[in-house]
């Protein structure tokens, strides 16, 4: 679960138990927070009121995707997941980019290590030019971080864990562990759907990265997946409802400079599913790409974001939306 402040800043995340240390949120008691999770409706409240609550129950969001009845899936080679994507990039505690759109992923069904291609159908991009200027002042011309779409894989993160992580049975769910530390889980909810949570950064630790004069610190690297009813051992890609990837960290350039917060959030929500054969894939492959970077210019024919409610897609963070046309200007 992600925690946002009223200026749109990603403040932190809940742990694998869904717990938040409110004492670590150094904000005025009247400051408003938004709690956001891909499986639930947004929850908005002041810090002062949250401090009085020991338990907050979020309302599960309604999932509105038509199921596909396929008698023999073995005849098909690719799954098309078409859906809505939404990304926010933060630098120095300000939103630098917000961009969303419609994307169709072409996922190989018979090669779990196979390359996933995609086609971006529509998208819009908003930029805070002051934050971009700040980014360039701090990082120089040596490195840039432009808008890009989520890199989808052919299998769930629980079936593609790094070597130091293992799955351990825990009653009716499975925990993801490294050593004695829990870093995630896969479990069925009371509604029958399946939730996956994985943080590649173990509790109370961070990852250090260096590249020439650049130095980075990663504090959180969370992947969350939500499926309709599926196998806990191998969640089916065709059952994927939503996926969120979030990184919280900081970067700096040069020894004497200070680390600057640098975070990003990437979301995908399935709207349609379709199975195709290898021959059908070959006929459209030239129109697809595996590259993830977007041009810095909106490109859409319809206001696709207005369809989100009918698919049960969580509301856009209102703290971000209120910046449209002010700090965040659309790139046309």
């Amino acid at each position: 679960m992600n925690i946002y402040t009223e200026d749109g800043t990603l403040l932190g995340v809940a742990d694998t138990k869904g717990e938040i240390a409110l004492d670590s949120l150094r904000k005025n008691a009247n400051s408003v927070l938004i709690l956001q999770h891909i499986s639930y409706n947004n929850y908005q409240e002041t810090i002062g009121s949250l401090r009085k609550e020991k338990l907050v129950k979020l309302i599960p969001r309604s999932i509105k995707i038509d199921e596909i009845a396929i008698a023999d899936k073995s005849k098909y080679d690719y799954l098309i997941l078409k859906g809505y994507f939404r990304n926010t990039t933060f630098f120095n505690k300000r939103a630098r980019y917000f961009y969303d759109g419609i994307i169709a992923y072409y996922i190989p069904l018979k090669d779990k290590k196979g390359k996933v291609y995609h086609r971006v159908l529509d998208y819009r991009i908003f930029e805070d030019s002051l934050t971009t200027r700040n980014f360039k002042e701090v990082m120089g011309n040596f490195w840039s971080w432009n808008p890009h779409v989520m890199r989808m894989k052919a299998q769930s993160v629980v079936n593609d864990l790094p070597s130091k992580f293992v799955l351990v049975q825990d009653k009716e769910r499975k925990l993801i562990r490294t050593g004695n530390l829990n870093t995630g889980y896969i479990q069925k909810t009371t509604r029958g759907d399946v939730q996956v949570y994985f943080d590649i950064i173990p509790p109370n630790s961070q990852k250090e990265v260096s590249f020439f004069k650049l130095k980075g610190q990663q504090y959180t690297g969370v992947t969350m997946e939500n499926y309709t009813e599926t196998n806990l051992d191998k969640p089916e890609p065709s059952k994927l409802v939503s996926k969120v990837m979030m990184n919280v960290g900081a970067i700096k350039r040069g020894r004497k400079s200070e680390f600057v917060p640098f975070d990003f959030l990437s979301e995908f929500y399935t709207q349609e599913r379709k199975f195709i054969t290898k021959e059908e894939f070959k006929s459209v492959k030239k129109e697809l790409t595996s590259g993830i970077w977007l041009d810095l210019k909106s490109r859409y024919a319809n206001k696709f974001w207005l369809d989100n409610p009918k698919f049960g897609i969580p509301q856009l963070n209102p703290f971000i939306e209120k910046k449209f046309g002010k700090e965040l200007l659309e790139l046309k």
Side-chain angles (χ1 to χ4, degrees):
M1 180 172 61
N2 305 331
I3 309 158
Y4 296 92
T5 63
E6 56 193 321
D7 63 359
T9 301
L10 179 62
L11 191 60
V13 295
D15 61 20
T16 57
K17 297 179 181 179
E19 296 179 349
I20 305 169
L22 288 177
D23 289 341
S24 66
L25 307 181
R26 299 182 179 181
K27 291 282 181 179
N28 185 285
N30 293 322
S31 297
V32 178
L33 298 181
I34 278 190
L35 310 184
Q36 188 177 61
H37 190 285
I38 58 173
S39 301
Y40 301 90
N41 294 331
N42 292 351
Y43 181 87
Q44 183 172 318
E45 191 54 270
T46 64
I47 289 183
S49 296
L50 281 175
R51 290 185 188 278
K52 299 175 184 177
E53 300 287 343
K54 291 185 178 180
L55 179 66
V56 174
K57 292 186 177 181
L58 302 183
I59 300 174
R61 74 180 183 92
S62 176
I63 298 170
K64 303 176 181 179
I65 307 173
D66 293 334
E67 291 293 336
I68 303 176
I70 301 293
D72 185 7
K73 293 182 182 178
S74 65
K75 297 189 299 184
Y76 299 96
D77 303 288
Y78 284 84
L79 164 70
I80 302 176
L81 287 183
K82 178 183 174 183
Y84 171 75
F85 70 88
R86 180 164 64 202
N87 296 52
T88 314
T89 302
F90 300 91
F91 183 73
N92 204 9
K93 299 184 178 181
R94 284 176 62 102
R96 181 187 177 193
Y97 288 117
F98 171 85
Y99 50 104
D100 61 350
I102 303 297
I103 189 170
Y105 287 104
Y106 289 69
I107 302 172
L109 294 172
K110 298 174 181 176
D111 181 4
K112 296 305 179 183
K113 297 293 183 181
K115 184 180 292 186
V116 175
Y117 290 84
H118 67 264
R119 173 164 47 193
V120 177
L121 304 174
D122 290 294
Y123 69 94
R124 58 178 181 167
I125 297 180
F126 294 82
E127 179 188 36
D128 183 333
S129 59
L130 291 179
T131 308
T132 292
R133 187 185 308 166
N134 181 219
F135 181 89
K136 292 179 179 179
E137 289 170 352
V138 173
M139 305 310 299
N141 296 320
F142 181 74
W143 186 65
S144 63
W145 186 269
N146 289 335
H148 59 284
V149 298
M150 180 187 295
R151 191 182 294 281
M152 192 69 72
K153 291 193 175 183
Q155 58 186 336
S156 169
V157 66
V158 297
N159 300 126
D160 191 35
L161 295 171
S163 58
K164 65 178 182 178
F165 295 92
V166 295
L167 282 169
V168 179
Q169 193 71 42
D170 179 49
K171 298 181 180 179
E172 296 182 355
R173 67 174 182 169
K174 293 187 177 184
L175 297 176
I176 302 174
R177 284 185 180 171
T178 177
N180 295 321
L181 298 174
N182 293 338
T183 62
Y185 56 81
I186 177 169
Q187 64 183 16
K188 283 191 177 182
T189 69
T190 54
R191 295 186 301 169
D193 55 341
V194 171
Q195 294 177 344
V196 175
Y197 176 96
F198 172 57
D199 191 346
I200 198 170
I201 307 298
N204 303 315
S205 64
Q206 64 185 43
K207 181 179 180 181
E208 304 282 344
V209 179
S210 295
F211 183 70
F212 293 103
K213 292 184 178 181
L214 292 180
K215 292 188 180 296
Q217 295 178 340
Q218 186 178 7
Y219 315 130
T220 298
V222 168
T223 298
M224 292 184 286
E225 298 169 344
N226 195 29
Y227 296 84
T228 53
E229 190 170 355
T230 188
N231 192 320
L232 288 184
D233 293 322
K234 290 186 177 180
E236 297 179 58
S238 63
K239 301 291 187 177
L240 182 69
V241 172
S242 53
K243 181 173 183 176
V244 169
M245 301 183 73
M246 179 181 61
N247 281 268
V248 177
I251 54 175
K252 73 172 185 175
R253 181 170 62 100
R255 295 181 180 178
K256 296 182 180 180
S257 59
E258 299 291 330
F259 278 102
V260 180
F262 180 49
D263 316 316
F264 68 87
L265 175 69
S266 182
E267 308 169 66
F268 171 77
Y269 300 93
T270 301
Q271 296 175 328
E272 298 176 18
R273 306 181 178 107
K274 183 180 180 181
F275 293 90
I276 61 173
T277 63
K278 186 182 298 183
E279 289 69 30
E280 290 174 306
F281 173 76
K282 287 180 179 178
S283 69
V284 298
K285 186 177 179 181
K286 63 181 180 180
E287 303 170 14
L288 310 178
T289 181
S290 59
I292 60 174
W293 303 101
L294 296 173
D295 292 332
L296 287 173
K297 183 179 180 180
S298 297
R299 189 196 70 201
Y300 57 90
N302 302 298
K303 295 181 179 180
F304 54 84
W305 57 91
L306 298 181
D307 291 332
N308 287 349
K310 75 178 184 181
F311 290 103
I313 294 172
Q315 178 188 1
L316 169 64
N317 183 339
F319 299 151
I320 295 293
E321 190 171 18
K322 73 179 183 180
K323 294 177 181 287
F324 290 174
K326 298 176 184 177
E327 293 98 326
L328 288 168
L329 299 180
E330 186 174 356
L331 301 180
K332 299 181 179 180

